Amino acid sequence: KADAQEALAELYSSVGMLEPFECRFIIDIIERSIRDVLAAVPTNLLPEQKLKPYAPYLSQAENDEAGMGLDMEYAKALNDLRVDLSLGE
């Protein structure tokens, strides 16, 4: 919960100064934090509406088709370390 609150505060306090990709990164942090909280909630208390599957945030370097950004082997290793946070899917 604290991660989501901090990310929201950063987004709110930096309105107009952040680039769209920076905003998307912060929103991804908020989404993952909320999913973490929901993962700890007992099943009978979860909302009836199912969450959409989690779509991991891809940085600009990872989206770079020309390969000019991040080393793709490094990006793959980082991606392999990510935790699947989709609930009930």
Side-chain angles (χ1 to χ4, degrees):
K1 182 177 171 186
D3 289 341
Q5 290 173 331
E6 289 177 26
L8 281 169
E10 180 180 347
L11 191 61
Y12 181 76
S13 67
S14 301
V15 168
M17 294 187 290
L18 296 173
E19 295 289 330
F21 69 90
E22 294 171 311
C23 295
R24 177 63 182 100
F25 178 75
I26 293 170
I27 290 169
D28 186 66
I29 293 170
I30 295 166
E31 179 183 3
R32 286 185 288 129
S33 297
I34 291 171
R35 287 177 181 272
D36 286 347
V37 169
L38 289 175
V41 173
T43 308
N44 62 332
L45 299 177
L46 286 173
E48 291 182 21
Q49 186 178 16
K50 293 284 184 183
L51 293 176
K52 293 180 181 178
Y54 175 69
Y57 169 76
L58 293 177
S59 68
Q60 285 184 321
E62 291 173 308
N63 282 329
D64 186 7
E65 293 180 12
M68 301 298 288
L70 190 63
D71 177 17
M72 293 315 290
E73 288 182 22
Y74 178 70
K76 183 184 179 316
L78 287 177
N79 192 40
D80 291 343
L81 293 174
R82 288 186 176 161
V83 177
D84 183 13
L85 298 176
S86 59
L87 298 175
E89 308 300 328

